Every structure is written in structure tokens, then in C-alpha cells.
Amino acid sequence: MSLYSNHAGNPKVKTIRNSIIFIALLLFALATIFPIYFMFISSLGDPVEAGAVSYSIFPTKVSFASFKFFFDYSEYSYRWLLNSLIVAVTVTVSNVIFASMAGYAFSKLRFRGRGFLFGLLLMSMMIPYQVTQVPLYILVVNVFHLQDTYSALIMPGLVTVYNIFLAKQFMSSIPNEIMESAKIEGCSQFQIYLRIILPLSKTVMAVMAILTFMDSWNTFFWPLLVTNTMEMQTIQVGLKNFRFANTTYIAPMMAGATISALPMFILFFSLQRYFLEGVTVGAVKG
């Protein structure tokens, strides 16, 4: 008996099955989208304290006062967005460059200890992120004295093992015959990487860019540790300033969260074609 049957001889069973699948997928989609919808609806309320907020699934009043309150609340509101943009863009670009270089080296170059080094990198992926925060904080703050600087926010994420692994696996599928032809034509290793490997790896680089930008933009814990002043805070850390000891300004906080989500939506929809191609690469062979 096959794993999947299209019930070609029984249209009624096929209709019931498809209806169940459709309802299940619809419920899953609604559960995924609802927090984003609630965030946006809440941001359209008046900038009042949490105790005075009336929560509703549907907006009872549409007002952009909370967005104005978000920018007027602090002189650093725009600076938070700029800091996040600087950190996320720098980390994304450095990851695409360095991870693609490392992926090319591990996939196409033959050198002693290659397997050991790659295995060591894979082992480091198994260490929880939270475990490394204390020694990383001591190294950045106490040894290098980089607290409250862009260097402290950017350096730990210049390149990630996951992106190296992603690049290596993708580049391993590129035929070696292309490289051999380029060598015959007199290309150096760097020319092969720059003119052949990179153009063929646009898909995986787009995937790395999307995932890295989203991860860097949404990071909260590390910027909270290494920033002391409001001037150097990122948008995710800056949003906590709307919460006080006795109350929280929900609508302005949601307005800030909505604004902070816009760059991720723009990036994803602008690169979604490459992202979807990256997800399906290797899924079908032959």
C-alpha cells in the first residue's frame, strides 16, 4: 500500500480529506498570523497606560497617536532604529562574505585538517547560545573594553557557523568540472570564487542574508548586556523603555514593534524568490 493515495476512485473521500487538510492549514496560518495582527491593531490605539487599555480583536478606534508618541517619547527613538540598521546590515554583509569564503574553502579546496576543522565547527553549533554569553561578555567588556560601542554589538556576529555550513553544503553541489575549466583558462582561486562560485550561489546567499538580518535585527539579550546608554540601544532594547515600575504603555510599544517589523517584511518580500529557491534546492533530483 502506498504512503499517499489520491482516492481517484472515490471523489467523496478525496473531498473530505482535502477539506480536513485545508482547515488544518488555515488554523495553523491564523495562529501564526494572529500575533502580528494583534500587534498592529494594538498599535492603532491611544497612547494610554496598560490599565486603561481595552483589548479587542477588532479595532474600535483607528489612531496614529501611538506612533507619534513613540517618536516623541525619547530623542533617541530614531537612533534606536539607526543602531539596529547599522548592526543588522553590517552583520548580514560580513556573514555573506566570510561564510561564502569559508564555504568555498571547505567544499572545493583540499588542505590538511579540513575535515577536523569542519567537524569542530559543527560541534560548536551544539553548544547553546546562552552558555557562551558569560565568557563572551567578559571577553568583550573586561578584556577588550568595548562596552557601549558598535564593535561590541557587531563583532560576536561577524560570521556564524550555521551560515558556513549552509554555504559549504550548497557549494558542494557545484560541479568541479566548472572549476577545472576555469583553471585551464588561467583563473586563480580568488577569481574562481568571485566570478564563478558567487554568481552560482546567489540563492544560498539570499537565504543567508534573510536569516542573518532577521536574527540580528531581533536580537535582544546581547544588546541589552553590552549597552549602558539609551544612545547605543537597538530598537528591540529601546522598546523596554516604555515599561515602567507601575505601568506599561502598550500601544506605543506595539507601534514601535510594528515599525521594527517593517524592514524584515521588506527584505523578505524583496528576496522571497531566492529564499523559496533556496528552500527547494536539492529537494528534487533527476
Side-chain angles (χ1 to χ4, degrees):
M1 183 178 178
S2 62
L3 226 129
Y4 174 79
S5 175
N6 58 12
H7 302 286
N10 196 335
K12 186 176 181 180
V13 175
K14 183 178 180 180
T15 302
I16 295 174
R17 183 205 65 192
N18 290 344
S19 300
I20 293 173
I21 294 174
F22 175 78
I23 293 173
L25 292 176
L26 180 62
L27 291 175
F28 179 78
L30 291 175
T32 304
I33 297 174
F34 182 76
I36 301 174
Y37 169 80
F38 182 75
M39 174 188 69
F40 178 70
I41 293 301
S42 300
S43 68
L44 298 178
D46 290 324
V48 295
E49 297 181 358
V53 175
S54 57
Y55 297 100
S56 175
I57 297 179
F58 301 101
T60 56
K61 178 183 178 182
V62 177
S63 172
F64 293 97
S66 293
F67 289 88
K68 185 177 184 301
F69 184 92
F70 171 77
F71 288 109
D72 293 343
Y73 169 77
S74 173
E75 59 179 319
Y76 299 111
S77 297
Y78 292 98
R79 183 62 185 265
W80 297 338
L81 291 169
L82 179 61
N83 290 341
S84 290
L85 189 63
I86 291 173
V87 173
V89 170
T90 304
V91 169
T92 300
V93 172
S94 68
N95 266 271
V96 171
I97 294 174
F98 295 134
S100 61
M101 286 183 175
Y104 172 69
F106 280 119
S107 61
K108 297 303 181 183
L109 302 183
R110 299 291 183 265
F111 56 90
R112 182 174 299 179
R114 184 185 66 163
F116 173 77
L117 288 176
F118 189 68
L120 200 62
L121 288 176
L122 293 182
M123 288 177 59
S124 68
M125 291 179 62
M126 303 177 188
I127 302 175
Y129 175 76
Q130 293 78 6
V131 173
T132 62
Q133 295 306 288
V134 173
L136 188 61
Y137 177 83
I138 294 173
L139 186 66
V140 170
V141 175
N142 295 347
V143 177
F144 295 131
H145 304 288
L146 296 175
Q147 191 169 20
D148 219 36
T149 62
Y150 284 119
S151 298
L153 294 169
I154 294 172
M155 283 179 59
L158 282 176
V159 63
T160 64
V161 177
Y162 177 75
N163 283 334
I164 295 175
F165 172 77
L166 202 63
K168 189 262 183 187
Q169 294 302 106
F170 182 89
M171 292 177 183
S172 295
S173 64
I174 299 176
N176 292 328
E177 288 77 8
I178 299 178
M179 294 178 55
E180 296 298 331
S181 301
K183 289 179 181 179
I184 294 174
E185 294 296 329
C187 291
S188 63
Q189 289 290 353
F190 184 74
Q191 288 175 324
I192 294 173
Y193 162 77
L194 190 64
R195 298 182 180 180
I196 297 176
I197 299 299
L198 286 188
L200 293 175
S201 303
K202 289 188 296 184
T203 299
V204 72
M205 288 192 297
V207 173
M208 286 192 296
I210 293 174
L211 297 180
T212 304
F213 185 90
M214 292 177 61
D215 180 66
S216 179
W217 185 273
N218 289 324
T219 299
F220 173 79
F221 187 61
W222 179 249
L224 178 66
L225 284 179
V226 297
T227 56
N228 291 333
T229 62
M230 294 180 66
E231 183 180 3
M232 288 303 302
Q233 289 177 351
T234 59
I235 181 62
Q236 307 301 340
V237 180
L239 290 176
K240 74 177 179 60
N241 294 306
F242 291 93
R243 181 178 182 180
F244 303 96
N246 299 321
T247 188
T248 301
Y249 284 95
I250 297 294
M253 184 183 292
M254 291 298 181
T258 302
I259 294 171
S260 70
L262 289 178
M264 291 183 293
F265 287 119
I266 294 172
L267 179 68
F268 176 78
F269 286 114
S270 62
L271 298 177
Q272 65 172 333
R273 179 169 66 89
Y274 296 106
F275 182 78
L276 295 176
E277 288 178 4
V279 171
T280 57
V281 163
V284 180
K285 293 184 178 181

